[in-house]
C-alpha cells in the first residue's frame, strides 16, 4: 500500500481545504510530520484512517458516523470532506468520504442533516481516466478491507505505529498482551474453538446429568414399590458408579419381592379354604331360620283371621242386599234425572219473567207468545226508515266531497294565476340565455380558426430561439474546426519540409556496397548521409497528412451543419416574425382562455333551449288546468241543490219513524230486545210445564220397582244400593279373607316347616359373624398377594427401564469424558497442560515468537548489538504462561523483563517491536506490501548516537522501497530530515505547509 495524495476540507482543526502530496514527501524515504501541541498532527493520520475505514481510532470518532469530525473553524456552507489517493494490490484508487453534515435549511429557519456520502474510483491506465466503482458505504468498506487484508485496529497498529501503545505492550502482563495480539492476528477462531469445546462439555455434562436424574427417578420409584426392601445409593447425578449402584440395589429389591410373593400365595390358599367352610355353615343356619320364621308367621296369621270372622259374615250379608238393590237402580236414576230437569226449567222460567214488564209478569205461555208476535211486526215496519237514515248519511258525505273538490279547484286556479303572472319575465330570461349561447357558439368557431396559426407561430418562435443558440454553437465549432485544420495543415507542411531536408539520410539508409545509388548511380558509398535527431520519415509525414485531411473533413462537416442550422433559423424566423416568444406565448394563452370561455358558454345552448321548451309546455298545462277547474266548479252548483232537496225530504220521514227515540236504530233496538224477552219467557214457561209432568210419572214407576225387589220404601232400596267403588272394595275384602285362610292352612300342613319348628332356634348372628371374618381374612390375603405381584412386576419393569437407560447413556458418558478432557486441555485447566496455557494463548505465543524474531533484527542495529527480544512461556506466580517477553542483554549475558528497560531503551525497543509486528501482520494479511508507515512520538528520549542509529534503521527501510513518516516534536529531527509536513495552528484553524526532499 502506497499513499499518493490526501485532500482535507473542514476536517478536525483544518477549517479550510488542505492537501498533502505524499509522493513528494516519500521521495526521500523519511519525512517529518511536526507542529505544536494541538495543531492537528494526529488529525492528518485520522484523516487517512477515516478515508479508508470511515471511522477514526478511539474516542475521537464520537457518536454516529463521524458528525463530530467536522471542524469548528469551517464556514457554515462548507461541507466536510476527505479524499485519499493510494495504490494497493497494484490498483490505483481514490476514496472520497463526507461525514454527516448539519447545515442550515435552504428554506425557513433551523438546520437539517445531510447523510454521509462515500465514493470509490479507480484509475484506468488504458483510457487514462478515473472510473466510478461504488457509492455504497458497505461495499466500499468490504472492498478496502479485502484489499488491505487488515481491520481498522490492525491498520492503526501496523501503519500508524503508536509508540505509546507498544511501550505499554512491553510492560504489560500476559492478559493485556493477549488482548492486543488477539485483535491484530484475529485469533477469534481459536477462542471460538475453546468456547465450542466448553459449550460441548456443558451440553454433554447436562445430558449425562439428565440421564442420571432419570435413572435416579427410576430408583426412587423402585424404592417406593419395594418399600423398606431397597436402599438408594448416596450419589448425585453425574458422579461415577451411580449406574452400577442403582442396578445392584434393584437386583436385591427384586429378590426380596419374589420371596414375599411366595409367602402371600400360601396365605391366600389357607384363607380360601376357611372362607368356603364358613359359607356352608352360614347357608344351613339361614335355611333353618327361614323355616322357623315361616311357621311362626303362619300361626300369627291364623289368629288374625279368627279375630275378623264376624266382620267377614257382615260383609257377605251387605253384598247380598246390594245385589237385590241393583234391580231398583234404573228407576232411581230416571226419577233423579226428571227431578233435575224440572228444577232447571223452573229456574229458567223465573229468570225470564223477572226481565218482563210488570204488566206481563203473570201472563201465561200463550199470552207471552202473542205479545212477542206484535213486537216483531212493529220492528218490520222500521226497515224503510233505516234505508232513509243510511241515505241521509250518504248525502252528507257527497256534500263534503263536493266541498273538497271546490277547494282543490280553487287552489289550482290560484296557483295557475300566480305562475302565469310571471310568464312574460320568465320567457324573456330563458330566450336571453338561448341567444347568449348561440352568440358564444359563433364566437368559439371564429376563435378556433385563429388557434392553429397562433400555436404554429409560438412553436416557430421557440424553434427560432433554440436555433439561434445552435447557430452560435455551430459557428464556434466551425471556427474551432478551421483553426484545427489550419494547424494540422501547417504541421503537415512542416513535417514535409523537414523530410525533404533529410531525404538524403532516408535514401542512404537503403544503400549497400555494390548496389547503385538511386540518385547518382555510384556503386561505392564512402560518406552516406546520416539521420539526425528528430528525423522525419515517410510514416510520420503520412500520419500528419491523414490528420490534416481528417481535420479538414471535420471543418467541412461543421460548415455544412452551420448552413443547415441557418436555413432552419431563417424558416422559423419567417414563420414567427420578430415578435418575442414570451409575447407570442401570452397571446396564445389569451386566445386559448377566450376560446375555452366561449366553448363553456356555448355548451349551455342545448340546456337553455330545452328549459325554454319545458317552460312553454308547462304554461299550456297550467292554462288548461285553470279552464277545467272553472268548468267543474259550474257543474257542482246544480248537484249541490239536488242533494239539499233530497236531504230535507229524508229528515221529515225519519222524524216520524223515530218517535221518542234518538234514532231509527235506537227504536229498532228497543223493539228487538222486547221481542226477544217475550219469546224467551214463553219458551221457558212451556218447558217448565212439560218437566213437571215427567217428574210425576217417574215417582210412580220408582215406588212399584222398590216393592217388587222386597224393599219397604224407595229410600230403603236407595240405601242398600252399592256404587262401583264400594262394590269392588267389598268384593276385594271377601276374596282376600279366603286367600289368606287357604295360605295359612297350606303352611301349617308342610312337614319340613313343622319339623323345623320343633328344633331349637337358629343362631344366625354367630354364623354371619364367622363368615364375615373369613371373608375379611380372604380379602386381606388376596390384597397382600396382589400387592406382592404388582411389586414384582413394577420392579421388573423399572429394572428393565433402568438397564436400558444405562446402556443408552454409555456412549454419551464416553463422549462426555472425551470432550471434557479436550475442553480442559484447551482451557489450560487440565493436569496434562503443564503450563496452563490456553489454546488461543498458544497460537498467540507462536505469533509473538515471530514478532520477537522480526523485531530483534532491527533492535540489534538500534542498540549496537546489545539487546535481543525473546519470547518466554514461563508461568508468573499462579497465573498462566505463554505470552512473556524478555530482553537479552549481550553485555551481561542475562535475560530480563522488558519492563526494566530505560525510557530511551523502551522507545527503540518498542519501535523495533512495532516494525517487526508490521512485518508479521503484513505476512499474516496475505503479503500486502506496506510502502507508507507512520511512527508517532518517542524520539525525544534518545541521545544523539542512539537517534542516529534509529534513523539509520528507518532509513534502511528505503531498501524495501518504503517511506516512513515520523510524527515528533524533537527540534533536532527538523535539521536531520529535510522532507517535512508542518502543521501550523491559528485562530481560524490549522494549515499544512509542505517541503519536499529537494
Amino acid at each position: 500500500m502506497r499513499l499518493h495524495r490526501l485532500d482535507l476540507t473542514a476536517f478536525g482543526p483544518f477549517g479550510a481545504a488542505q492537501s498533502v502530496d505524499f509522493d513528494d514527501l516519500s521521495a526521500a524515504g523519511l519525512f517529518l510530520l511536526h507542529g505544536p501541541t494541538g495543531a492537528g498532527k494526529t488529525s492528518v493520520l485520522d484523516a487517512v484512517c477515516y478515508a479508508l475505514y470511515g471511522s477514526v481510532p478511539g474516542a475521537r470518532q464520537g457518536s454516529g458516523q463521524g458528525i463530530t469530525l467536522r471542524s469548528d473553524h469551517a464556514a457554515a456552507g462548507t461541507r466536510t470532506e476527505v479524499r485519499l489517493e493510494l495504490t494497493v494490490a497494484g490498483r490505483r484508487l481514490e476514496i472520497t468520504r463526507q461525514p454527516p453534515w448539519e447545515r442550515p435549511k435552504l428554506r425557513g429557519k433551523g438546520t437539517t442533516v445531510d447523510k454521509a456520502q462515500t465514493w470509490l474510483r479507480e484509475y484506468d491506465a488504458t483510457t487514462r481516466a478515473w472510473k466510478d466503482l461504488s457509492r455504497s458505504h458497505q461495499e466500499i468498506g468490504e472492498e478496502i478491507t479485502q484489499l488491505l487484508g487488515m481491520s481498522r485496529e490492525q491498520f492503526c497498529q501496523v501503519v500508524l505505529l503508536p509508540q505509546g501503545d507498544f511501550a505499554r505492550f512491553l510492560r504489560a502482563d500476559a492478559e493485556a498482551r493477549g488482548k492486543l495480539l488477539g485483535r491484530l492476528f484475529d485469533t477469534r477462531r481459536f477462542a471460538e474453538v475453546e468456547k465450542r469445546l466448553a459449550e460441548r462439555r456443558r451440553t454433554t455434562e447436562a445430558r449425562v446429568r439428565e440421564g442420571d436424574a432419570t435413572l435416579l427417578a427410576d430408583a426412587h420409584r423402585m424404592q417406593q414399590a419395594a418399600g423398606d426392601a431397597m436402599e438408594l445409593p448416596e450419589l448425585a447425578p453425574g458422579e461415577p458408579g451411580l449406574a452400577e449402584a442403582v442396578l445392584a440395589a434393584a437386583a436385591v429389591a427384586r429378590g426380596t419381592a419374589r420371596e414375599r410373593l411366595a409367602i402371600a400365595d400360601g396365605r391366600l390358599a389357607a384363607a380360601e379354604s376357611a372362607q368356603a367352610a364358613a359359607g356352608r355353615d352360614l347357608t344351613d343356619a339361614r335355611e333353618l331360620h327361614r323355616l322357623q320364621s315361616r311357621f311362626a308367621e303362619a300361626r300369627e296369621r291364623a289368629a288374625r283371621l279368627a279375630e275378623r270372622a264376624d266382620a267377614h259374615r257382615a260383609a257377605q250379608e251387605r253384598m247380598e242386599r246390594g245385589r237385590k238393590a241393583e234391580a231398583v237402580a234404573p228407576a232411581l236414576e230416571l226419577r233423579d234425572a226428571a227431578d233435575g230437569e224440572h228444577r232447571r226449567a223452573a229456574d229458567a222460567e223465573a229468570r225470564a219473567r223477572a226481565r218482563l214488564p210488570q204488566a206481563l209478569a203473570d201472563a201465561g205461555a200463550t199470552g207471552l207468545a202473542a205479545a212477542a208476535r206484535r213486537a216483531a211486526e212493529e220492528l218490520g215496519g222500521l226497515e224503510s226508515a233505516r234505508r232513509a237514515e243510511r241515505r241521509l248519511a250518504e248525502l252528507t258525505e257527497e256534500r263534503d266531497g263536493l266541498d273538497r273538490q271546490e277547494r282543490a279547484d280553487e287552489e289550482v286556479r290560484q296557483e295557475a294565476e300566480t305562475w302565469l303572472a310571471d310568464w312574460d319575465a320568465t320567457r324573456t330570461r330563458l330566450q336571453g340565455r338561448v341567444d347568449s349561447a348561440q352568440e358564444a357558439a359563433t364566437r368559439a368557431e371564429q376563435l378556433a380558426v385563429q388557434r392553429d396559426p397562433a400555436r404554429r407561430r409560438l412553436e416557430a418562435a421557440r424553434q427560432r430561439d433554440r436555433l439561434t443558440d445552435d447557430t452560435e454553437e455551430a459557428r464556434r465549432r466551425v471556427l474551432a474546426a478551421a483553426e484545427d485544420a489550419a494547424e494540422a495543415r501547417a504541421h503537415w507542411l512542416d513535417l514535409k519540409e523537414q523530410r525533404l531536408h533529410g531525404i538524403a539520410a532516408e535514401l542512404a539508409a537503403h544503400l549497400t556496397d555494390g548496389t547503385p545509388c538511386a540518385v547518382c548511380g555510384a556503386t561505392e558509398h564512402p560518406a552516406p548521409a546520416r539521420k539526425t535527431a528528430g528525423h522525419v520519415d515517410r510514416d510520420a509525414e503520412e500520419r500528419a497528412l491523414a490528420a490534416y485531411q481528417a481535420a479538414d473533413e471535420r471543418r467541412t462537416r461543421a460548415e455544412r451543419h452551420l448552413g443547415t442550422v441557418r436555413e432552419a433559423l431563417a424558416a422559423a424566423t419567417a414563420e414567427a416574425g420578430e415578435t418575442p416568444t414570451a409575447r407570442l406565448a401570452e397571446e396564445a394563452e389569451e386566445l386559448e382562455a377566450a376560446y375555452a370561455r366561449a366553448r363553456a358558454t356555448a355548451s349551455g345552448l342545448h340546456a337553455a333551449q330545452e328549459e325554454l321548451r319545458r317552460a312553454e309546455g308547462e304554461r299550456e298545462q297550467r292554462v288548461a288546468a285553470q279552464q277545467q277547474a272553472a268548468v267543474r266548479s259550474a257543474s257542482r252548483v246544480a248537484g249541490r241543490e239536488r242533494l239539499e232537496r233530497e236531504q230535507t225530504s229524508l229528515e221529515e220521514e225519519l222524524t216520524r219513524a223515530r218517535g221518542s227515540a234518538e234514532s231509527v236504530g235506537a227504536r229498532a233496538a228497543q223493539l228487538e230486545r222486547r221481542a226477544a224477552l217475550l219469546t224467551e219467557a214463553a219458551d221457558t214457561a212451556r218447558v217448565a210445564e212439560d218437566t213437571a209432568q215427567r217428574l210425576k210419572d217417574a215417582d210412580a214407576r220408582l215406588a212399584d220397582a222398590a216393592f217388587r225387589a222386597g224393599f219397604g220404601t224407595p229410600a230403603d232400596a236407595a240405601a242398600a244400593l252399592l256404587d262401583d267403588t264400594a262394590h269392588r272394595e267389598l268384593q276385594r275384602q271377601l276374596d282376600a279373607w279366603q286367600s289368606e285362610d287357604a295360605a295359612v292352612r297350606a303352611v301349617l300342613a308342610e312337614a319340613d316347616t313343622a319339623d323345623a319348628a320343633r328344633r331349637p332356634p337358629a343362631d344366625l348372628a354367630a354364623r354371619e359373624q364367622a363368615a364375615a371374618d373369613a371373608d375379611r381374612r380372604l380379602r386381606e390375603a388376596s390384597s397382600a398377594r396382589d400387592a406382592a405381584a404388582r411389586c414384582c412386576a413394577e420392579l421388573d419393569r423399572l429394572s428393565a427401564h433402568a438397564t436400558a437407560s444405562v446402556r443408552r447413556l454409555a456412549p454419551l458418558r464416553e463422549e462426555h469424558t472425551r470432550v471434557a478432557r479436550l475442553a480442559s486441555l484447551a482451557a489450560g485447566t487440565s493436569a496434562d497442560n503443564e503450563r496452563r496455557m490456553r489454546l488461543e494463548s498458544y497460537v498467540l505465543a507462536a505469533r509473538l515468537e515471530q514478532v520477537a524474531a522480526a523485531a530483534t533484527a532491527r533492535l540489534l542495529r538500534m542498540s549496537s548489538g546489545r539487546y535481543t527480544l525473546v519470547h518466554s512461556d514461563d508461568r508468573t506466580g499462579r497465573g498462566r504462561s505463554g505470552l512473556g517477553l524478555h530482553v537479552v542483554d549481550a553485555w551481561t549475558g542475562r535475560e530480563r523483563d522488558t519492563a526494566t528497560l530505560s525510557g530511551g531503551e523502551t522507545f527503540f525497543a518498542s519501535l523495533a517491536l512495532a516494525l517487526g509486528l508490521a512485518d508479521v501482520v503484513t505476512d499474516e494479511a496475505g503479503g500486502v506490501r506496506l510502502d507508507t508507515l507512520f511512527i508517532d512520538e518517542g524520539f525525544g528520549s534518545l541521545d544523539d548516537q542512539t537517534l542516529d542509529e534509529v534513523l539509520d534503521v528507518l532509513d534502511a527501510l528505503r531498501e524495501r522501497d518504503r517511506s516512513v513518516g515520523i510524527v515528533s516534536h524533537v527540534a533536532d529531527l527538523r535539521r536531520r530530515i529535510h522532507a517535512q509536513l508542518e502543521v501550523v495552528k491559528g485562530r481560524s484553524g490549522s494549515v499544512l505547509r509542505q517541503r519536499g526532499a529537494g
Side-chain angles (χ1 to χ4, degrees):
M1 181 198 73
R2 178 179 293 277
L3 305 181
H4 298 295
R5 184 178 181 84
L6 175 67
D7 295 320
L8 310 175
T9 303
F11 184 85
F14 305 103
Q18 305 292 325
S19 298
V20 180
D21 188 350
F22 285 110
D23 287 337
D24 186 35
L25 290 174
S26 302
L30 284 178
F31 63 90
L32 178 65
L33 175 58
H34 67 94
T37 301
K41 300 185 297 297
T42 304
S43 296
V44 176
L45 307 183
D46 287 346
V48 174
C49 186
Y50 178 73
L52 292 173
Y53 295 97
S55 60
V56 299
R60 297 191 295 276
Q61 172 69 17
S63 60
Q65 296 181 348
I67 196 170
T68 58
L69 300 178
R70 178 173 175 79
S71 175
D72 296 333
H73 302 285
T78 302
R79 179 156 190 176
T80 302
E81 181 178 278
V82 176
R83 180 181 291 108
L84 177 64
E85 185 178 338
L86 74 159
T87 297
V88 58
R91 299 169 61 185
R92 186 153 184 165
L93 304 175
E94 180 189 80
I95 309 169
T96 303
R97 290 187 186 270
Q98 293 178 348
W101 180 31
E102 184 177 4
R103 60 169 177 82
K105 291 183 178 178
L106 299 178
R107 296 183 181 87
K109 298 181 180 180
T111 60
T112 184
V113 177
D114 289 345
K115 295 181 179 180
Q117 301 289 332
T118 306
W119 293 270
L120 177 62
R121 300 197 303 170
E122 182 176 2
Y123 183 76
D124 190 347
T126 303
T127 61
R128 298 184 179 180
W130 292 94
K131 63 178 180 179
D132 294 333
L133 295 182
S134 176
R135 296 191 63 175
S136 168
H137 300 297
Q138 182 177 359
E139 290 180 358
I140 294 174
E142 293 175 354
E143 179 74 11
I144 296 301
T145 302
Q146 182 177 2
L147 290 174
L148 292 177
M150 291 181 286
S151 64
R152 189 195 69 179
E153 290 77 9
Q154 290 176 317
F155 179 82
C156 293
Q157 294 288 344
V158 174
V159 179
L160 311 179
L161 302 177
Q163 296 308 300
D165 289 350
F166 284 96
R168 286 190 295 273
F169 180 81
L170 288 173
R171 297 186 176 91
D173 56 9
E175 183 177 359
R177 287 174 182 157
K179 292 180 179 179
L180 176 60
L181 293 174
R183 290 197 304 270
L184 293 176
F185 293 104
D186 192 15
T187 56
R188 289 175 296 179
R189 60 187 183 277
F190 300 102
E192 187 66 23
V193 170
E194 296 178 21
K195 181 179 178 182
R196 291 291 297 275
L197 286 174
E199 291 178 354
R200 184 77 176 277
R201 177 182 59 188
R202 287 191 295 270
T203 301
T204 55
E205 182 179 2
R207 292 173 61 189
V208 169
R209 287 180 177 275
E210 182 180 357
D212 285 349
T214 303
L215 186 61
L216 277 178
D218 291 341
H220 281 288
R221 286 193 288 272
M222 284 189 284
Q223 186 185 38
Q224 292 175 357
D228 57 354
M230 179 178 179
E231 294 183 359
L232 292 179
E234 296 180 355
L235 295 174
E239 294 186 11
L242 176 64
E244 293 77 6
V246 169
L247 294 180
V252 173
R254 289 198 304 275
T256 303
R258 288 189 175 85
E259 292 177 358
R260 291 179 177 177
L261 177 61
I263 296 174
D265 287 337
R267 291 178 178 176
L268 177 61
E272 289 175 347
S273 300
Q275 190 267 346
R280 289 192 296 271
D281 294 342
L282 177 60
T283 300
D284 295 342
R286 284 176 176 171
E287 181 62 20
L288 176 61
H289 180 267
R290 185 183 69 79
L291 293 175
Q292 290 177 346
S293 298
R294 178 180 175 82
F295 185 81
E297 182 182 359
R299 295 292 296 271
E300 292 176 358
R301 288 162 63 189
R304 287 195 297 272
L305 288 174
E307 293 175 355
R308 298 200 307 270
D310 294 339
H312 176 64
R313 285 191 293 273
Q316 287 177 335
E317 293 175 358
R318 176 75 185 279
M319 177 64 74
E320 183 62 25
R321 286 176 59 81
R323 279 194 288 270
K324 292 180 179 180
E326 289 178 355
V328 188
L332 285 172
E333 292 176 357
L334 181 61
R335 196 271 171 191
D336 290 340
D339 183 59
E341 185 178 2
H342 176 64
R343 287 193 182 94
R344 289 191 295 275
D347 292 340
E349 181 184 8
R351 289 193 299 272
R353 288 182 179 276
R355 291 193 292 273
L356 295 176
Q358 188 64 33
L360 298 175
D362 296 331
T366 305
L368 294 173
R373 285 193 297 275
R374 288 194 298 273
E377 291 173 359
E378 186 177 358
L379 178 61
L382 291 177
E383 182 62 30
S384 175
R386 286 182 176 177
R387 289 194 298 272
E389 190 174 38
R390 287 194 295 272
R391 177 57 184 164
L392 183 61
E394 292 175 357
L395 291 176
T396 303
E397 182 63 27
E398 289 179 5
R399 291 190 62 184
D400 293 341
L402 292 175
D403 293 339
R404 287 193 298 272
Q405 292 175 4
E406 183 65 26
R407 288 193 297 272
D409 288 339
E410 182 63 25
E411 291 176 0
V412 170
R413 287 196 300 273
Q414 292 179 358
E415 184 179 357
E417 290 175 358
T418 302
W419 192 90
L420 291 173
D422 298 332
W423 165 244
D424 292 337
T426 301
R427 188 178 186 284
T428 301
R429 177 176 56 80
L430 295 177
Q431 186 63 44
R433 288 182 55 191
V434 172
D435 296 341
S436 298
Q438 289 176 344
E439 293 175 359
T442 302
R443 190 165 58 255
E445 292 177 357
Q446 295 172 354
L447 293 173
V449 176
Q450 302 174 13
R451 288 173 63 209
D452 291 339
R455 282 201 295 266
R456 287 196 297 273
R457 285 190 66 195
L458 177 60
E459 183 61 29
R462 289 172 177 168
Q463 187 175 7
R464 177 196 64 195
D465 295 343
R466 289 195 299 271
L467 291 174
T468 300
D469 297 337
D470 293 346
T471 301
E472 183 62 26
E473 178 64 23
R475 188 182 62 82
R476 287 195 298 269
R477 291 182 179 176
V478 168
L479 293 177
E483 291 177 359
D484 292 342
E487 291 178 359
R489 185 174 186 278
H491 179 64
W492 167 58
L493 293 176
D494 290 342
L495 291 181
K496 184 175 183 180
E497 184 178 0
Q498 293 177 19
R499 183 178 175 228
L500 291 175
H501 291 165
I503 193 66
E506 184 175 343
L507 294 174
H510 300 284
L511 295 177
T512 58
D513 291 338
T515 303
C517 175
V519 177
C520 64
T523 56
E524 294 182 0
H525 318 291
R530 302 295 182 185
K531 292 182 180 180
T532 61
H535 175 75
V536 178
D537 56 7
R538 183 183 183 86
D539 293 338
E541 180 187 356
E542 291 178 352
R543 285 195 300 272
L545 176 60
Y548 161 65
Q549 292 173 346
D552 189 61
E553 178 64 24
R554 288 193 296 271
R555 178 189 60 77
T556 303
R557 286 199 301 270
E559 289 176 348
R560 285 199 298 270
H561 177 67
L562 177 60
T564 302
V565 173
R566 283 175 174 172
E567 291 175 0
L569 176 60
T573 304
E575 177 73 22
E578 298 299 331
T579 306
T581 304
R583 178 58 185 166
L584 291 177
E586 292 177 0
E587 293 176 355
E589 290 178 359
E590 292 174 357
L591 181 61
E592 289 292 337
Y595 175 74
R597 289 193 297 271
R599 284 290 303 275
T601 304
S603 64
L605 176 60
H606 177 73
Q609 292 174 343
E610 186 67 21
E611 187 175 0
L612 177 59
R613 186 186 60 77
R614 287 197 300 270
E616 291 175 346
E618 185 176 359
R619 175 183 173 279
E620 294 176 358
Q621 293 175 1
R622 289 185 181 274
V623 170
Q626 187 179 24
Q627 294 173 354
Q628 292 172 3
V631 172
R632 288 195 298 271
S633 178
S635 65
R636 279 193 296 269
V637 173
R640 185 178 285 106
E641 293 175 354
R642 177 180 57 77
L643 293 176
E644 289 177 352
R645 288 194 300 271
E646 186 178 0
Q647 183 178 4
T648 301
S649 174
L650 291 175
E651 287 177 351
E652 293 175 354
E653 182 182 354
L654 290 176
T655 301
R656 290 191 301 271
R658 282 196 301 266
S660 60
E662 295 180 355
S663 64
V664 175
R667 178 60 179 166
Q670 291 176 357
L671 293 176
E672 287 177 355
R673 187 165 55 255
R674 182 177 180 182
L677 291 175
L678 290 172
T679 302
E680 182 183 3
D683 293 342
T684 56
R686 286 194 296 270
V687 171
E689 292 175 357
D690 294 342
T691 57
Q693 183 60 41
R694 286 196 294 273
L695 177 60
K696 184 178 179 180
D697 295 341
D699 286 339
R701 285 194 295 272
L702 176 60
D704 182 61
F707 177 76
R708 285 197 301 270
F711 294 100
T713 62
D716 295 338
L721 187 63
L722 296 174
D723 58 11
D724 291 341
T725 303
H727 182 274
R728 285 195 299 272
E729 179 61 23
L730 185 61
Q731 185 64 45
R732 185 190 65 75
Q733 292 176 1
L734 293 174
D735 294 342
W737 196 91
Q738 291 177 355
S739 299
E740 180 69 9
D741 182 66
V744 168
R745 292 177 182 277
V747 171
L748 294 176
E750 292 176 353
D752 54 349
T753 303
D755 181 62
R758 290 191 292 270
R759 295 175 59 184
D763 190 0
L764 186 59
R767 298 298 183 181
E768 288 178 348
Q769 181 62 40
D773 293 342
D775 288 342
R776 177 179 54 77
R777 287 191 292 272
L778 176 60
R779 287 194 300 274
E780 292 175 353
S782 178
S783 298
R785 195 270 174 193
D786 292 343
R790 286 195 302 272
C791 179
C792 287
E794 183 68 10
L795 288 176
D796 290 342
R797 185 184 67 81
L798 293 175
S799 297
H801 186 269
T803 302
S805 298
V806 170
R807 291 196 188 99
R808 191 168 55 253
L809 283 175
L812 182 59
R813 290 182 190 276
E814 295 177 0
E815 181 184 1
H816 171 61
T817 301
R818 183 174 62 257
V819 170
R821 184 169 176 271
L822 286 175
S824 300
L825 186 63
T829 59
S830 172
D832 296 335
N833 194 333
E834 298 178 356
R835 297 187 178 276
R836 300 185 63 193
M837 184 183 298
R838 294 173 48 244
L839 177 61
E840 184 182 14
S841 299
Y842 178 79
V843 175
L844 292 176
R847 298 300 188 203
L848 186 57
E849 286 183 355
Q850 297 174 357
V851 171
T856 295
R858 295 183 176 87
L859 182 59
L860 286 172
R861 293 184 59 185
M862 294 181 186
S863 63
S864 301
R866 179 179 179 183
Y867 294 118
T868 302
L869 285 175
V870 294
H871 163 252
S872 173
D873 56 3
D874 293 336
R875 294 173 56 180
T876 57
R878 300 183 61 185
R880 299 182 180 181
S881 61
L883 296 179
L885 191 62
H886 289 174
V887 60
V888 179
D889 190 344
W891 291 4
T892 63
R894 298 179 63 85
E895 182 179 327
R896 54 193 173 99
D897 194 271
T898 53
T900 61
L901 294 173
S902 65
E905 292 171 341
T906 299
F907 166 71
F908 62 70
S910 63
L911 177 59
L913 185 65
L915 295 173
L917 182 64
D919 292 339
V920 175
V921 172
T922 300
D923 296 337
E924 177 70 15
V928 176
R929 182 178 177 83
L930 301 178
D931 298 321
T932 305
L933 299 176
F934 293 90
I935 301 174
D936 189 5
E937 291 298 346
F939 291 88
S941 61
L942 304 178
D943 55 28
D944 292 341
Q945 180 181 356
T946 305
L947 180 60
D948 289 337
E949 293 174 349
V950 170
L951 291 178
D952 290 342
V953 172
L954 295 178
D955 193 56
L957 294 175
R958 288 187 298 176
E959 299 174 359
R960 300 176 64 180
D961 198 19
R962 284 183 176 178
S963 60
V964 179
I966 298 175
V967 184
S968 178
H969 294 281
V970 178
D972 191 41
L973 288 176
R974 301 177 201 169
R975 178 180 55 82
R976 294 170 178 262
I977 302 176
H978 299 289
Q980 297 179 10
L981 179 63
E982 182 180 6
V983 185
V984 182
K985 66 179 180 179
R987 289 184 175 274
S988 60
S990 298
V991 296
L992 295 174
R993 295 178 181 174
Q994 182 172 336
R995 184 175 62 178

